[in-house]
Amino acid sequence: MADFALHVQPVDAQEWLETARRAEATGFDTLLAADHPGSCAAPFVALAAAAAVTTRIKLGSYVSNAGVREPMLLAADVATLDVVSGGRALLGLGAGHTPAEWDAIGRVRPGVHGRVDRCLAVADATVRLLAGEKVTVAEPGLTMLDAFLEHPRPVQERIPLLIGTANSRLLRWAGEHADVVGLTGFGRTKSDGHQHEARWRLAEIDAQVALAREGGDAVLEALVQIVEITDDPEAVLGEHAERQGMSVSELREVPFLLVGTEDEIVEAVRRNKQRWGIARYAVRRNALDLIGPLLPALTAI
């Protein structure tokens, strides 16, 4: 089966709750909320509100910045979400990239190696706290002394862990330790601190999947940037192909784009599963209307 997660941010109360209801009714597996302190809604607050108007859909952050989030606070937020949702929480983590998020809390943003070190330490500590362990850490990027999450305790025996990344070390670690490896297709962060270069060449995707598969058999997920149903995919993809230095035919093979007729999108999901084993997709808000009607066919793949 191919699962689909809807990745959205609240606009207002009515719209957010209706989106949560529609996502569940349509058949989306998970509702994901972004976590960029200062530039979007607090994800766990929003997801707790969504939990109150849904009964089945899973709920998680995509993804929390391990560089500016502390394991105890993350664990408490996720455990609380798991309690109020009746056992539907998911923990999504990444190494972070936006410099302003470090500036805002008075920390120096490390280089890639330091951010990955911190992410691995935070992920391990948070998972252990959620599992009921007492945690002590003394590393350059993280210090904890006898931390223990006494209350609230999660409903689930194990909170699913999603790591969103394109970094080699994180891909290997996530393949072994996470439940879901979120393939982002991101390259180097651009000067604005938010946008990224793309790692969308098929050989690059092959390499990322191989790294994730070195460690284990976690579910592979693609973060989809564009969903569009059209009879003229060349017109939609032409500008992106030129920007990426790729042909339209190459872009049509990329799992981070779902562009084409309904039948072509279904076939692309089937092809991605056969080639890379990708069995899950995180899609943006517009996909609620575009992908929703296709979910019966897509989830049967």
Side-chain angles (χ1 to χ4, degrees), residues 61-90:
S61 57
Y62 193 105
V63 285
S64 291
N65 179 353
V68 302
R69 296 291 192 185
E70 296 300 328
M72 178 55 78
L73 301 180
L74 272 172
D77 281 343
V78 174
T80 302
L81 177 61
D82 204 48
V83 169
V84 301
S85 68
R88 292 184 279 142
L90 174 150

Side-chain angles (χ1 to χ4, degrees), residues 14-201:
Q14 181 177 350
E15 182 273 344
W16 173 247
L17 298 180
E18 181 58 25
T19 296
R21 292 188 188 97
R22 286 187 60 204
E24 179 169 86
T26 302
F28 282 88
D29 176 78
T30 307
L31 181 67
L32 298 171
D35 189 5
H36 291 288
S39 61
C40 70
F44 299 106
V45 176
L47 292 167
V53 297
T54 57
T55 59
R56 175 196 59 79
I57 197 166
K58 300 180 184 70
L59 306 158
S61 57
Y62 193 105
V63 285
S64 291
N65 179 353
V68 302
R69 296 291 192 185
E70 296 300 328
M72 178 55 78
L73 301 180
L74 272 172
D77 281 343
V78 174
T80 302
L81 177 61
D82 204 48
V83 169
V84 301
S85 68
R88 292 184 279 142
L90 174 150
L91 169 61
L93 282 175
H97 57 85
T98 306
E101 294 175 16
W102 277 267
D103 294 342
I105 61 169
R107 289 183 184 168
V108 176
R109 177 178 177 264
V112 173
H113 188 85
R115 296 201 302 276
V116 171
D117 283 348
R118 164 85 182 187
C119 185
L120 295 176
V122 169
D124 179 70
T126 307
V127 168
R128 290 170 61 196
L129 288 168
L130 289 167
E133 297 182 30
K134 185 174 287 187
V135 178
T136 294
V137 182
E139 298 183 7
L142 182 66
T143 301
M144 302 170 65
L145 178 61
D146 292 336
F148 181 67
L149 183 66
E150 183 177 2
H151 295 293
R153 296 300 312 149
V155 174
Q156 297 177 83
E157 183 175 347
R158 172 184 165 84
I159 300 288
L161 173 64
L162 181 154
I163 298 291
T165 189
N167 175 270
S168 297
R169 275 204 298 151
L170 274 177
L171 285 167
R172 288 192 186 96
W173 187 92
E176 181 177 359
H177 298 282
D179 300 278
V180 179
V181 180
L183 302 171
T184 62
F186 292 166
R188 183 175 301 175
T189 304
K190 294 184 178 180
S191 58
D192 67 357
H194 294 278
Q195 302 299 313
H196 299 266
E197 296 176 358
R199 291 180 182 169
W200 286 358
R201 295 190 180 279

